[in-house]
Amino acid sequence: MFKQFFCFLSFFFIMNSFSQNNEVGVFIGNSNYIGDVGPTTYVNPFQNPNYVFGVLFRKNFSNRIAGRFSFNYSDIGSSDNWKSSVDYRKQRGKYFKNTISEISLGVDFNFFNFDLSEDSFQMTPYIHSGISFFRYSSLNYPVGIKIASEYAKDTSFSIPITIGYKIKPFSNIILGLEVRANHSFTDNLDGSSPQYKHMELYSQKAFGSNLSQDWYVFTGFTLTYIFGDQPCYCPK
């Protein structure tokens, strides 16, 4: 899946590099997780350093709309023993670590006109959403053990909900700050809901709430380089 994605992205990159303005760059930041283990704070990337690194390609269709392809790799983890955990979780004492490899396709919407053809300083807040496909480790807690163990690799989808702010301080450089909350379609990033045959013989039963699935949040900076012919967004 990842190999096919990169082949497609390379083809798309080559075909569009000679047409309108494009951006290619990196995303660097920290991540945090929201689920059935550890603190319940939604955006808290610095409580336990879990680094995320990504590459992105943005295709600008107008001053307001852009398509985005991205790949992100991140560690996530949490502990019931952390300071901001609720009391019953501290008494339970669970801990897990996981990794996420994610490919994503989505759309950016700029609140203000963001004209890449202008050499003057540009800035705008923006929002982003789309669909992501990611790979992670399926976890469980062996009977009597409070540290999660991997028993398989699995894949799932997530919906990113992003708010950000970006500036263009130079003619070909864009800097951004964004918070991206990803609603996943799995409840087992933390090992709270393992799914395999005869689970009850080797693992603690599922725990936590089954009313919502796990979230993971990326908070960080983007740095992109503009290339391609200068587009004209003016009406003809």
Side-chain angles (χ1 to χ4, degrees):
M1 176 67 184
F2 290 105
K3 184 177 180 181
Q4 294 174 343
F5 172 78
F6 280 116
C7 288
F8 172 76
L9 183 57
S10 297
F11 175 77
F12 187 86
F13 177 88
I14 293 170
M15 292 299 294
N16 284 278
S17 62
F18 302 104
S19 55
Q20 296 183 358
N21 265 4
N22 309 277
E23 300 170 49
V24 62
V26 296
F27 174 84
I28 298 175
N30 286 333
S31 67
N32 68 284
Y33 137 94
I34 309 156
D36 297 308
V37 175
T40 55
T41 308
Y42 276 83
V43 181
N44 192 2
F46 304 111
Q47 179 160 7
N48 182 45
N50 290 302
Y51 300 109
V52 53
F53 175 79
V55 293
L56 64 97
F57 173 80
R58 188 182 281 132
K59 173 70 173 178
N60 294 279
F61 299 109
S62 72
N63 288 346
R64 295 291 186 93
I65 302 294
R68 188 200 295 198
F69 293 95
S70 63
F71 171 81
N72 294 299
Y73 179 86
S74 176
D75 295 321
I76 62 170
S78 196
S79 172
D80 283 337
N81 295 318
W82 287 349
K83 184 177 179 180
S84 57
S85 294
V86 293
D87 288 341
Y88 80 90
R89 292 191 178 189
K90 290 181 179 179
Q91 295 173 1
R92 188 179 59 192
K94 299 293 185 183
Y95 170 82
F96 83 94
K97 292 284 287 185
N98 211 329
T99 58
I100 290 175
S101 300
E102 171 199 82
I103 56 176
S104 180
L105 171 64
V107 176
D108 290 9
F109 174 78
N110 301 325
F111 285 94
F112 306 145
N113 281 330
F114 198 77
D115 192 346
L116 301 184
S117 65
E118 291 289 334
D119 290 333
S120 60
F121 181 86
Q122 304 282 317
M123 61 182 180
T124 184
Y126 64 92
I127 56 175
H128 163 87
S129 190
I131 186 73
S132 299
F133 175 79
F134 68 94
R135 181 177 174 86
Y136 67 100
S137 297
S138 290
L139 305 176
N140 75 313
Y141 294 87
V143 176
I145 304 297
K146 295 184 176 182
I147 300 176
S149 299
E150 176 186 323
Y151 67 85
K153 292 290 187 182
D154 207 344
T155 58
S156 185
F157 291 90
S158 67
I159 301 295
I161 304 169
T162 306
I163 57 173
Y165 190 86
K166 63 183 178 180
I167 63 174
K168 188 170 78 71
F170 309 108
S171 60
N172 290 319
I173 297 295
I174 295 176
L175 300 173
L177 170 65
E178 65 179 41
V179 178
R180 173 175 168 167
N182 300 272
H183 175 253
S184 75
F185 293 100
T186 176
D187 196 31
N188 197 44
L189 293 179
D190 51 19
S192 66
S193 185
Q195 302 291 327
Y196 58 93
K197 191 176 182 180
H198 305 310
M199 177 188 70
E200 67 278 3
L201 299 178
Y202 309 105
S203 175
Q204 175 181 305
K205 293 183 179 180
F207 61 89
S209 173
N210 59 3
L211 299 179
S212 64
Q213 295 165 312
D214 295 334
W215 292 67
Y216 56 96
V217 182
F218 297 156
T219 305
F221 298 92
T222 61
L223 171 64
T224 59
Y225 175 78
I226 304 168
F227 66 96
D229 295 337
Q230 297 290 346
C232 177
Y233 301 130
C234 304
K236 296 181 179 180

